[in-house]
Amino acid sequence: MGGICGKPSAIGDARGSSTTRSKVSSESRSKRVESFRVKNRGEVRAGSIDRRLNSSRRVRDDDCDKSREVSQVFIANIPGIGAIPKSIEGQQIVAGWPSWLAAVASEAINGWLPRRADTFEKLEKIGQGTYSSVYKARDLTNNKLVALKRVRFDNMDTESVKFMAREIHILRMLDHPNIIKLEGLVTSCSSRSLYLVFEYMEHDLTGLASLPGVKFTEPQVKCYMQQLLSGLDYCHSHGVLHRDIKGSNLLIDNNGILKIADFGLANFFDSNHQNVALTSRVVTLWYRPPELLLGATHYGVAVDLWSTGCILGELYTGKPIMPGRTEVEQLHKIFKLCGSPSEDYWRKSKLRHSTVFRPTQSYRRRIEETYKDVPLVAIQLMETLLAIDPSQRGTALSALKSEFFTTKPHACDPSTLPKYHPSKEIDAKLREEEARRRIAEGGMGLRTDTESRGPRESWAVPAPEANAELVASMQRRHDRANSKSRSEYFNRNKDDTAAATFIEEQQARPSHYSNEVREFYSGSLMAENTADKHELDSSTYQMARKQLSQDSWRMRKHDLSRSMYRAESGRSTSTGKQPFMNGDGYKGNNKIHFSGPLGASNVDQMLKDRDHHIQEAARRARLDKARHAKLHSEMTINPIYVSSRRQPR
Ligand SMILES: Nc1ncnc2c1ncn2[C@@H]1O[C@H](COP(=O)(O)OP(=O)(O)OP(=O)(O)O)[C@@H](O)[C@H]1O
């Protein structure tokens, strides 16, 4: 994919060779296009691309072979995708699709021809997702700006390609003003990656909300919510769950139009019976509903509605409303705000993790009292969307008919919204990094989250670890031949983490339950070891300290704690000791904390202690570093001194 990734300086060099290539193959190309057009009953629409091919701004794609010359054509408005006979796969290869893609994703590309890389001019990177990078580019065929989402298939297992094929398949099916439009695909003959071509959107909601000084008005919030719910209603009525609704996946253009993007986790669902098992490892942690955290595998539209409720709260408050760092903490935040599930709910839902996650005390619902400044109609909608029982959340359509939209002030027209500077989640991250760098340069040392960032920016971007399980889950799907689609339909547990399966095993074997599950949860909530000697001597702690200087603060906290946990658990194993836990899963100020059953006081205390330990460890690391620096300067000045002095720990 040299063309897409090529630097502007390479553009001039590529001009001659591409032009020659274009002339040489023009005859065979038109024959093949014609043949493909006939075979697809005239669905192929040849673009007026040849003129553009002579453009001086064309980028290099030297690696692609001549068979790709046919590819400067695309199709619009593809009807539903049916079963693909084998002969179509052959035609697809003739039409320019790489055989590895046609073999696995024939349905997804059916009726389309690949775009070629040198019909785009790459401009800049605008997004970094879990398994993809997104670039702003210019489509040289029509001079329009586009977004190119590059998906790499490093180890090229067919399951990864099928996973991507589902995203393409779903995107092609959906056609709605509030859903991002997939305009084409670019393949590379040289590398096994694929570019998805989308219409270009200037903002995403996370980036916009984190712009300094931006505060949304009520008509504006209603305008965004109306568009989000309209897009969702369309998805749901077409049998598609998005399963990753969050600010950075809600794109907004300069005309105020909001479009739902990133269908990487989307899937079809059975709207009537919900009898098809789906994975519970979906939705970014902050936006994940309680039933998924509790291991539900039969669910429907309610998962997207929960995330929508989180977005609504975020639009009013300017920050994510439940930013948990781990699944346990996320559930605790949910219970504290939305109340704990009723007895009836626990009994009926039979959720896999309910035994271990069930709080020892019940929590009261506190949405209204928490958001006193939010208008009542918005609170009412939040109450519905953030119902603990998914069956109480209604539908996107019922939300659209709610008083929130019928009461004045009404949603404004998107075109009347203020125009903003382009802003993306990636920009918010960069601003955050810059702010941290400035603080570090100012000699203020390491700070906690809230100390080191502005109030608005501070919660704009999910912590890298906030979605660790989801990332790991997706990574597994890509790394191993263990696709979500396969596992969801044939074995609901395969796609879940070993840890989740582990809980089930433990539940089946009550005699081993406590110790093993405690260990699992100590990993989940993270265990802290505060023994100075152990921290300072262990090589893992040294590694963690090294990371302190490299990573973002949130990442630092996460890795530091995990390294310390690993060190601690390694020691426990070597001595053969099992960690000790008292009745409520919390063991005072020292050593290890376990999540165990949730109790309001113990979790709050645990989190407080954990932050305290992390700050302590960071402080000690700073002191240690200063000691090293001092000693180093002494050694440099006075070599004799060195030999007579013992090395520091
Ligand atoms: N059509 C587009 N126009 C402009 N920017 C886009 C477009 N599509 C994506 N982006 C930017 O790229 C970012 C990442 O894109 P996307 O969410 O599709 O990738 P991903 O790998 O699935 O991400 P994640 O893992 O965060 O869900 C988005 O948050 C957005 O800022």
Side-chain angles (χ1 to χ4, degrees):
M1 189 51 64
I4 296 297
C5 302
K7 292 191 177 119
S9 60
I11 294 170
D13 303 337
R15 196 183 316 164
S17 61
S18 291
T19 310
T20 314
R21 206 170 53 205
S22 178
K23 278 179 190 159
V24 168
S25 59
S26 61
E27 203 184 319
S28 62
R29 180 194 323 152
S30 52
K31 271 186 194 155
R32 273 182 286 177
V33 170
E34 186 53 36
S35 129
F36 193 84
R37 193 200 309 266
V38 169
K39 280 171 190 151
N40 288 280
R41 297 194 193 91
E43 285 172 354
V44 175
R45 175 159 61 83
S48 57
I49 295 166
D50 286 344
R51 278 193 316 276
R52 294 279 175 182
L53 282 177
N54 294 322
S55 158
S56 62
R57 304 171 73 200
R58 192 169 52 239
V59 276
R60 187 203 295 264
D61 188 21
D62 293 341
D63 298 329
C64 285
D65 64 26
K66 299 284 187 289
S67 71
R68 297 285 318 285
E69 298 295 336
V70 74
S71 65
Q72 301 138 26
V73 179
F74 63 91
I75 302 164
N77 300 325
I78 304 302
I81 302 171
I84 305 296
K86 209 62 187 151
S87 60
I88 299 280
E89 196 183 307
Q91 287 172 23
Q92 288 172 338
I93 294 168
V94 171
W97 291 107
S99 53
W100 58 265
L101 188 64
V104 180
S106 194
E107 270 187 38
I109 58 174
N110 186 35
W112 269 18
L113 288 174
R115 292 288 308 270
R116 50 182 288 167
D118 62 1
T119 57
F120 294 94
E121 178 193 11
K122 184 194 127 188
L123 299 172
E124 62 183 297
K125 186 168 177 176
I126 50 171
Q128 180 62 60
T130 311
Y131 63 97
S132 65
S133 305
V134 183
Y135 300 89
K136 180 177 180 180
R138 188 178 305 283
D139 183 343
L140 298 176
T141 68
N142 53 18
N143 213 29
K144 255 179 52 183
L145 286 176
V146 292
L148 296 175
K149 178 169 170 174
R150 182 187 189 209
V151 187
R152 267 194 328 273
F153 301 106
D154 289 333
N155 54 8
M156 229 28 231
D157 65 85
T158 52
E159 295 300 330
S160 304
V161 183
K162 279 186 186 165
F163 185 58
M164 170 51 49
R166 186 172 69 187
E167 180 174 358
I168 297 169
H169 186 156
I170 289 176
L171 279 163
R172 287 182 61 181
M173 262 184 54
L174 303 174
D175 182 14
H176 186 271
N178 299 118
I179 294 174
I180 195 74
K181 186 143 192 57
L182 178 66
E183 296 188 332
L185 298 170
V186 179
T187 60
S188 163
C189 300
S190 57
S191 73
R192 297 196 148 185
S193 58
L194 188 66
Y195 284 79
L196 276 64
V197 186
F198 292 103
E199 55 192 316
Y200 178 73
M201 305 289 284
E202 283 77 10
H203 319 278
D204 64 51
L205 201 56
T206 299
L208 210 55
S210 67
L211 275 175
V214 166
K215 174 129 180 66
F216 299 136
T217 63
E218 204 179 344
Q220 187 171 9
V221 171
K222 289 186 178 182
C223 174
Y224 291 144
M225 285 300 295
Q226 197 165 42
Q227 298 185 69
L228 166 57
L229 284 162
S230 303
L232 267 188
D233 177 46
Y234 178 86
C235 288
H236 294 167
S237 59
H238 285 74
V240 172
L241 295 180
H242 185 278
R243 305 197 301 180
D244 199 14
I245 294 294
K246 60 177 174 178
S248 61
N249 286 340
L250 303 177
L251 307 182
I252 297 168
D253 70 14
N254 267 342
N255 300 315
I257 302 294
L258 177 148
K259 297 190 189 227
I260 304 172
D262 191 1
F263 283 74
L265 288 179
N267 204 355
F268 300 101
F269 75 108
D270 176 3
S271 53
N272 294 325
H273 308 294
Q274 292 188 14
N275 55 9
V276 177
L278 301 166
T279 177
S280 59
R281 315 292 295 183
V282 285
V283 188
T284 295
L285 191 58
W286 295 355
Y287 306 88
R288 197 180 302 169
E291 66 272 18
L292 292 186
L293 289 160
L294 292 168
T297 52
H298 292 83
Y299 53 85
V301 298
V303 298
D304 287 339
L305 293 171
W306 175 275
S307 313
T308 305
C310 298
I311 297 284
L312 176 59
E314 196 167 324
L315 286 172
Y316 276 106
T317 60
K319 60 183 185 186
I321 59 172
M322 290 179 277
R325 284 166 290 188
T326 65
E327 291 185 348
V328 178
E329 192 187 2
Q330 188 63 38
L331 211 46
H332 183 238
K333 281 189 185 300
I334 290 173
F335 292 164
K336 279 207 306 188
L337 180 66
C338 307
S340 46
S342 66
E343 209 37 61
D344 197 39
Y345 177 77
W346 288 117
R347 205 179 39 251
K348 277 197 297 196
S349 63
K350 295 196 190 82
L351 295 168
R352 282 187 294 157
H353 304 171
S354 53
T355 326
V356 278
F357 278 124
R358 192 171 170 164
T360 48
Q361 63 171 88
S362 59
Y363 292 77
R364 204 165 46 79
R365 201 164 167 83
R366 294 175 51 232
I367 293 182
E368 193 172 348
E369 71 182 70
T370 307
Y371 301 110
K372 291 196 186 74
D373 298 338
V374 174
L376 195 62
V377 282
I379 292 289
Q380 281 163 357
L381 184 56
M382 271 174 84
E383 293 278 11
T384 306
L385 297 174
L386 296 178
I388 290 284
D389 184 343
S391 67
Q392 308 291 308
R393 284 178 215 149
T395 62
L397 190 60
S398 61
L400 281 168
K401 290 179 178 163
S402 71
E403 274 187 54
F404 180 68
F405 295 108
T406 54
T407 311
K408 283 184 178 170
H410 292 133
C412 60
D413 189 285
S415 63
T416 64
L417 289 172
K419 309 279 178 239
Y420 299 101
H421 284 298
S423 178
K424 297 277 170 58
E425 182 191 34
I426 201 170
D427 302 318
K429 281 181 183 160
L430 289 173
R431 273 197 300 276
E432 195 172 329
E433 278 303 316
E434 178 60 19
R436 263 193 224 110
R437 196 185 57 75
R438 274 203 303 269
I439 286 170
E441 274 177 9
M444 294 162 82
L446 295 167
R447 293 300 177 102
T448 64
D449 284 337
T450 38
E451 283 169 336
S452 64
R453 288 163 303 171
R456 205 170 176 86
E457 281 183 333
S458 63
W459 296 106
V461 183
E465 70 273 23
N467 214 23
E469 307 91 340
L470 177 59
V471 171
S473 174
M474 291 175 77
Q475 199 56 51
R476 272 197 304 284
R477 278 193 283 264
H478 284 264
D479 289 350
R480 294 199 255 120
N482 181 21
S483 82
K484 184 167 50 180
S485 48
R486 190 184 57 174
S487 59
E488 281 172 358
Y489 287 104
F490 299 116
N491 182 345
R492 69 184 176 85
N493 284 329
K494 277 233 174 83
D495 193 47
D496 282 351
T497 59
T501 313
F502 182 61
I503 298 178
E504 282 191 330
E505 286 167 5
Q506 298 315 316
Q507 285 169 333
R509 289 186 293 147
S511 57
H512 298 276
Y513 179 87
S514 49
N515 279 343
E516 300 290 347
V517 171
R518 283 170 201 164
E519 273 203 334
F520 163 59
Y521 280 119
S522 64
S524 172
L525 190 59
M526 291 189 272
E528 261 82 45
N529 165 29
T530 56
D532 287 4
K533 185 172 184 317
H534 186 63
E535 280 175 6
L536 295 173
D537 284 352
S538 81
S539 58
T540 37
Y541 183 68
Q542 300 299 332
M543 262 168 54
R545 272 199 324 187
K546 199 167 158 202
Q547 283 167 350
L548 282 170
S549 63
Q550 293 168 349
D551 301 336
S552 70
W553 171 238
R554 276 188 181 132
M555 213 49 198
R556 287 170 207 155
K557 282 174 66 168
H558 180 62
D559 288 347
L560 179 63
S561 310
R562 278 191 21 174
S563 301
M564 288 159 68
Y565 165 60
R566 278 196 295 272
E568 174 65 14
S569 52
R571 192 177 59 160
S572 297
T573 312
S574 64
T575 57
K577 282 183 199 155
Q578 290 295 346
F580 165 79
M581 182 173 78
N582 66 11
D584 62 1
Y586 170 59
K587 190 181 175 288
N589 283 327
N590 276 329
K591 319 294 183 210
I592 300 174
H593 302 310
F594 305 97
S595 63
L598 295 172
S601 56
N602 63 347
V603 174
D604 279 342
Q605 188 56 47
M606 266 192 288
L607 294 172
K608 224 183 270 167
D609 284 355
R610 185 176 72 169
D611 280 346
H612 174 73
H613 293 327
I614 291 165
Q615 282 169 23
E616 264 299 292
R619 190 183 62 80
R620 267 188 234 109
R622 278 202 309 277
L623 284 174
D624 202 40
K625 195 175 160 198
R627 270 210 304 271
H628 274 283
K630 187 161 176 276
L631 188 75
H632 180 74
S633 65
E634 285 169 347
M635 286 189 318
T636 321
I637 296 163
N638 185 358
I640 300 163
Y641 182 76
V642 180
S643 58
S644 64
R645 189 172 169 135
R646 289 175 60 209
Q647 292 296 309
R649 279 191 308 195

